[in-house]
Amino acid sequence: MVKTWLKLAYSLVLFGALSAAVLSGLLRGLDYYVYEQLRFDNVVVVGITSTASVAFLGVVWVVMAVTDLVRARGLREHTYEVAVLLVLSVLFDAAFKLVFRVPRPGLSGPLQPVSALTSLEYYSYPSGHATRAVALALYAGKRSSTAWSLATYTWALAVCLSRILLGVHWTSDVLGGFAAGLITFYASELLKDPLKKVLEALRLGFILKQ
């Protein structure tokens, strides 16, 4: 538990340092150079990036949950933990974007969003896809064989690279997403047990497989 707290603290420091560099403009040169030189938009890249979207991962989780409810009459441990991780990733992504308000590549000027969703689509730091991919890769890698761990880390790297290739994120967004993914993973590790107690206190513990 102490090690997890320390890792979370280190992740926050890393994210803070990257955020300071972004806000101060230190990474602007790198961002523009990569944006202009490294672009590759095709169906494969779009397909890779889609695997870390909220919609796709949400559908995957629903399938996991339905399977658990049918077979075990309750959510298994890994399904519950993935739910915690995904919810945290969405919350952190939204909070960070609204705090830092960095426009996506090709966009500039003040925003007058019609809705909160429009606002989140406009801002780019950190990359939500990178955040989710890194967090899920760390979760799967910790609980899987070496081969599966390597596969998940490769997937996360491919997702991060795809955001840059598609021109929808700055390089600094993806770096920030990597750090935010670390934060998400370690925060979920620390919160999963306390949240179980909350569910039990609310008499919702029955949804988890005992």
Side-chain angles (χ1 to χ4, degrees):
M1 182 67 74
V2 175
K3 288 184 178 180
T4 304
W5 274 109
L6 284 174
K7 290 177 180 178
L8 176 59
Y10 294 149
S11 301
L12 288 168
V13 170
L14 175 61
F15 183 76
L18 286 169
S19 300
V22 169
L23 295 179
S24 65
L26 288 177
L27 298 178
R28 192 169 301 155
L30 172 65
D31 284 340
Y32 278 103
Y33 178 80
V34 174
Y35 179 73
E36 293 171 357
Q37 301 296 323
L38 193 62
R39 300 289 291 280
F40 190 71
D41 185 346
N42 67 15
V43 66
V44 175
V45 179
V46 172
I48 291 172
T49 208
S50 297
T51 60
S53 68
V54 173
F56 180 85
L57 293 175
V59 170
V60 171
W61 185 86
V62 169
V63 171
M64 292 170 59
V66 171
T67 301
D68 284 355
L69 292 174
V70 171
R71 294 183 176 180
R73 297 185 180 180
L75 297 183
R76 296 181 186 274
E77 190 77 11
H78 65 276
T79 306
Y80 163 72
E81 292 175 353
V82 169
V84 173
L85 187 148
L86 288 177
V87 170
L88 285 180
S89 73
V90 172
L91 293 177
F92 287 160
D93 178 49
F96 290 148
K97 279 185 168 64
L98 293 176
V99 167
F100 296 105
R101 297 176 178 267
V102 176
R104 288 184 183 274
L107 300 176
S108 62
L111 173 69
Q112 296 180 346
V114 176
S115 65
L117 181 59
T118 304
S119 179
L120 293 177
E121 287 299 314
Y122 180 91
Y123 297 129
S124 67
Y125 181 83
S127 165
H129 283 67
T131 299
R132 289 184 291 275
V134 169
L136 284 169
L138 288 171
Y139 176 82
K142 183 178 179 180
R143 293 160 174 79
S144 308
S145 64
T146 302
W148 181 247
S149 298
L150 181 60
T152 56
Y153 295 149
T154 301
W155 166 74
L157 178 61
V159 169
C160 291
L161 182 59
S162 73
R163 303 308 285 167
I164 298 172
L165 291 175
L166 291 173
V168 294
H169 275 293
W170 303 111
T171 300
S172 59
D173 297 337
V174 173
L175 294 175
F178 170 80
L182 296 177
I183 293 171
T184 300
F185 171 69
Y186 294 123
S188 69
E189 291 288 287
L190 291 170
L191 290 174
K192 62 184 182 182
D193 289 335
L195 286 176
K196 276 187 182 179
K197 295 180 180 179
V198 172
L199 289 175
E200 292 170 356
L202 295 174
R203 297 184 179 181
L204 296 175
F206 66 90
I207 65 176
L208 303 177
K209 185 178 182 300
Q210 303 300 319

